[in-house]
Amino acid sequence: MKNTKIKHLLLLLPLFLLGLILAGCSSSSTPSVPEKNNISSQQSSSNDNGKATYPNKWTDGVPAKYKGYYGRMTNAYGEKTLAPMYFLNKSVSFGVGDATVLDSVQYKQVSDTDYVLKGIDNHYDSSRPTFYVKISTKVKNGVTYIGTYVMSDQAQAQGKSDNSASSFAKTKALKDDGTYTIDWYKHYDSKAALLAAQNSPSSDTSSDTTSSSNKGSDDLKYTIKSSKGKTYKSKYTIDQMRQKFDLPYSKTTDEYGYETVKNGYDGDIVEDPIVHDGSPEESHAEGSKQLSGNYAIFYNKTYDGGNAMDHTLVNLETGAIEKDQA
């Protein structure tokens, strides 16, 4: 009887041990499922913080969708000229005269519309320095534009130096804020089309190819009515312009009875004005530098019988400043 019970227990023992092994495997593998779910949940929250991020690495060439030929209307040496931009993978160049030229180009995207280009100057400096250029992009009326950040005439007149090109961080931080403005270049379908426009610049009717803002109409939240009754959208009110750009109004009378007005504003707003830039072919009555956009005119004048007057022009859309003396 005892032998029968022992044999029976010996037969059941392997089955009991097998059950323990299977139970152990099952319990050890169960936690892996929630652990995997926790990881995927953390990844999702880090991607859903609402802030766009861009790869922190340099990519060879230029952004593929913007590669091509561009141009902008400007005045060079007193003549209306179409300044070209070659936006190609191996080299990027833009401007007239001593044009900016970058070889071995790379880029980083820094916002939805902005990029920083890095290139080597093989053309003007034998030390072949690396320098940086910030560009912006937009599409208007189905046409693509590339804009380069440049120091404004006002900032240059104030003696400010532009050393941003030597540093990625400084270049990335540039803003269209009056110290810097954006020169917009319009896309052309081919090199032949760009060359044709260069040969006949007066036939190019494109707008937005000179300094202008990349901001939408939401930033132009004020309206200004000119002395002629026309209404314009503006980034600032006249009072805000006076405060921001140090244009306080004053009127004084000297010992001879002559009145002098500083920063007067009579409601004059001009569209695409031509101002003086010191070119020798200019006259007192007519300048040679063509601006693009709508400008409020502030003036300084002494009423002594003469016609000398100098002006400060404020771009309604961007707040960019231009000086003119006639």
Side-chain angles (χ1 to χ4, degrees), residues 1 14 19 37 44 58 63 65 72 94 109 112 115 151 153 174 179 181 183 200 249 253 269 283 289 298 300 310 312:
M1 185 68 178
N37 288 341
S44 176
W58 292 103
K65 65 180 178 179
R72 65 179 287 268
F94 54 89
Q109 187 170 2
D112 287 346
Y115 301 80
M151 181 167 278
D153 291 344
L174 296 181
T179 299
T181 58
D183 284 348
S200 182
Y249 172 82
T253 303
I269 295 177
S283 66
K289 181 180 179 181
F298 297 81
N300 298 328
D310 62 83
T312 299

Side-chain angles (χ1 to χ4, degrees), residues 112-164:
D112 287 346
T113 58
D114 289 4
Y115 301 80
V116 172
L117 305 180
K118 178 175 72 170
I120 297 173
D121 178 6
N122 286 335
H123 301 266
Y124 303 111
D125 193 329
S126 59
S127 65
R128 302 181 64 194
T130 296
F131 63 103
Y132 303 85
V133 174
K134 187 175 184 180
I135 66 166
S136 192
T137 59
K138 67 178 179 181
V139 177
K140 185 172 182 179
N141 298 327
V143 179
T144 299
Y145 293 85
I146 289 179
T148 59
Y149 284 75
V150 296
M151 181 167 278
S152 68
D153 291 344
Q154 180 198 18
Q156 293 181 48
Q158 293 173 347
K160 294 183 179 180
S161 60
D162 182 8
N163 60 358
S164 62

